[in-house]
Amino acid sequence: MTSKPSLRQGRPYMAIPGPSVMPDRVLQAMHRPAPNIYAGAIVDLAASLVPDLKSVARTKHSAAIYISNGHGAWEAAVSNVVAPGDKVLVPATGRFGLGWSDMVVGIGGAPQVLDFGKRTPWDLDQVGDALKADTAHEIKAVLAVHVDTSSSIRNDVPGLRKVLDDLGHPALLMVDCIASLGCDRFEMDDWGADVMVTGSQKGLMTPPGLGFVFFNDKAEAVRKAMPRVSRYWDWSPRADPEFFYEYFGGTAPTHHLYALREALDMINEEGIENIWARHATLARAVWAAAEAWGSDGPMEMNMSDPAFRSHAVTALRLGAPHGTALRDWVDQTLNLTLGIGLGMAAPGDPAWHGFFRIGHMGHVNGHMILGLLGGIDAGLKALDIPHGDGALEAASRVIAGV
Ligand SMILES: *Cc1c(COP(=O)(O)O)cnc(C)c1O
């Protein structure tokens, strides 16, 4: 037998859950000299982004743009409504609720964390009990991660709104849609979210570096009653700028704005409802394959109940050392990069090597998902990791709709 040819040449697929695949149109939009930031086209372009961002967020309220990643958007949101000593409630599933809670600690707030672990969504009864116990209404906000990217759990935001409403609790509902916006259905106004945060590099298909905070009038009233808000994170001038530089608290992130303009054009062309439907179908193809693989051998989806699974990312358990071995194999052999298992075990613990995640968010289509699943299937075979048959058949049926 001759030696095996390399199969790495060709377009790579970065299937980690963010940064997601960037469309060529988005990349090309950035390929130009810097514009004048004091006058001219960039001023109009920046203004044009705001209504389109609000329409993706399904809100008629306000939007502030930050030069930041998701952590910056987290800090921006809480900096406007949480003063030192203020209490917030954080129902956490997986890593990201804990991360947002830690930002609150950093600005002197007092989070109360309800940790539901890595494999179960929020228990809304327990959230209700914690709010009921707060008879003085000291809890100022509930920090809610819609899709936890580490566990791939999608939480029930309308259900959480109902808990607050039924109890007549005035806390702000603040939602992290960093992994879900532009992938999973999210309706800021209809679902009664008061604040929503997201970032550019996931469903919005734009390089990391922009953070967004959307807020309604109730949140704005809380902002107005704050003793002080840091100049840079203050959302008021950004959402209602008198001068162009106030949108960004300084120099505009010019090339990110070109990229985002193009990405929002693509989103408008496809339509957000179609985007949600595409993600739902592609997610079902991934799940169908994972179920078939898991019918024999160690593979298991982290989230067993499909009703609480994200349409943008799927976390899987394969047992150590198979998770890392599979990621390494598809990366080195096929130029396909899968996500690590985030927060599932401590780095350094041998169990850390038992997990992986598939990012299927943003600019992904049927052939990319079928190729990705084929790559994983080949990896399981090459590495002799036990698995059930029929995964690609099952995924093809979902894509074919038969
Ligand atoms: C990616 C992500 C974050 C963090 O975003 P960074 O850009 O890495 O700071 C926060 N929350 C969720 C749900 C995410 O998916």
Side-chain angles (χ1 to χ4, degrees):
M1 224 184 96
T2 54
S3 66
K4 286 188 192 143
S6 166
L7 304 175
R8 293 197 90 241
Q9 287 308 315
R11 186 169 283 241
Y13 180 4
M14 182 84 144
I16 68 172
S20 64
V21 175
M22 287 170 218
D24 289 349
R25 278 174 62 178
V26 168
L27 295 172
Q28 284 155 9
M30 290 185 287
H31 212 154
R32 62 175 89 181
N36 183 3
I37 55 160
Y38 296 101
I42 196 74
V43 176
D44 297 333
L45 185 143
S48 80
L49 299 172
V50 175
D52 288 339
L53 286 166
K54 288 190 205 173
S55 104
V56 175
R58 311 283 262 197
T59 183
K60 61 179 172 40
H61 295 290
S62 301
I65 307 176
Y66 295 87
I67 302 176
S68 78
N69 54 20
H71 282 68
W74 273 347
E75 177 133 341
V78 293
S79 294
N80 277 275
V81 293
V82 179
D86 282 349
K87 291 187 182 161
V88 303
L89 183 67
V90 187
T93 54
R95 282 301 312 156
F96 287 91
L98 302 177
W100 202 2
S101 163
D102 194 43
M103 303 306 280
V104 172
V105 173
I107 60 164
Q112 176 188 347
V113 177
L114 299 176
D115 192 344
F116 297 108
K118 300 171 180 130
R119 304 195 73 177
T120 43
W122 300 328
D123 178 340
L124 292 176
D125 291 336
Q126 283 186 48
V127 177
D129 289 345
L131 291 167
K132 228 178 282 170
D134 178 38
T135 48
H137 289 174
E138 288 179 340
I139 294 173
K140 210 171 175 188
V142 180
L143 270 47
V145 176
H146 183 209
V147 163
D148 175 79
T149 324
S150 67
S151 58
S152 62
I153 293 172
R154 185 184 56 193
N155 284 299
D156 176 9
V157 174
L160 179 54
R161 176 76 259 169
K162 188 169 183 315
V163 170
L164 284 157
D165 288 347
D166 289 352
L167 293 169
H169 198 292
L172 294 174
L173 176 55
M174 303 177 69
V175 186
D176 170 345
C177 290
I178 298 173
S180 57
L181 196 78
C183 305
D184 278 279
R185 174 179 290 274
F186 178 79
E187 310 263 6
M188 176 162 166
D189 292 352
D190 280 2
W191 291 6
D194 299 303
V195 176
M196 186 270 275
V197 303
T198 196
S200 52
Q201 78 271 27
K202 293 178 182 174
L204 293 178
M205 308 179 290
T206 298
L210 293 178
F212 308 94
V213 178
F214 301 84
F215 57 94
N216 67 12
D217 298 345
K218 181 178 168 187
E220 176 60 10
V222 173
R223 152 76 190 82
K224 286 221 168 77
M226 285 280 283
R228 73 188 73 79
V229 172
S230 97
R231 285 282 180 274
Y232 190 74
W233 293 126
D234 192 351
W235 67 33
S236 307
R238 291 170 187 265
D240 188 18
E242 195 178 335
F243 304 103
F244 180 64
Y245 78 91
E246 290 179 322
Y247 272 114
F248 309 103
T251 300
T254 49
H255 289 66
H256 277 77
L257 302 184
Y258 293 129
L260 182 63
R261 181 63 272 159
E262 196 66 32
L264 289 168
D265 287 347
M266 292 178 70
I267 288 172
N268 288 339
E269 286 160 22
E270 186 176 0
I272 193 72
E273 306 262 355
N274 292 329
I275 290 172
W276 293 335
R278 170 167 56 83
H279 280 82
T281 299
L282 296 177
R284 283 195 298 110
V286 171
W287 305 342
E291 256 158 40
W293 286 320
S295 65
D296 191 9
M299 190 177 313
E300 194 190 350
M301 273 179 277
N302 185 62
M303 193 57 217
S304 54
D305 184 347
F308 294 98
R309 283 187 205 142
S310 155
H311 291 165
V313 53
T314 300
L316 296 115
R317 303 173 159 251
L318 193 54
H322 298 321
T324 297
L326 179 67
R327 282 191 302 102
D328 288 349
W329 190 89
V330 297
D331 192 53
Q332 286 158 17
T333 316
L334 305 177
N335 213 349
L336 164 65
T337 310
L338 302 173
I340 60 167
L342 191 68
M344 289 293 167
D349 179 345
W352 189 88
H353 297 288
F355 306 90
F356 69 102
R357 289 176 301 160
I358 301 172
H360 37 96
M361 57 175 53
H363 191 57
V364 282
N365 60 26
H367 82 71
M368 291 165 76
I369 293 299
L370 288 172
L372 171 148
L373 296 171
I376 294 173
D377 198 69
L380 293 169
K381 290 174 168 59
L383 297 166
D384 212 12
I385 299 169
H387 59 280
D389 291 331
L392 301 181
E393 169 83 19
S396 293
R397 287 188 181 284
V398 173
I399 299 287
V402 296

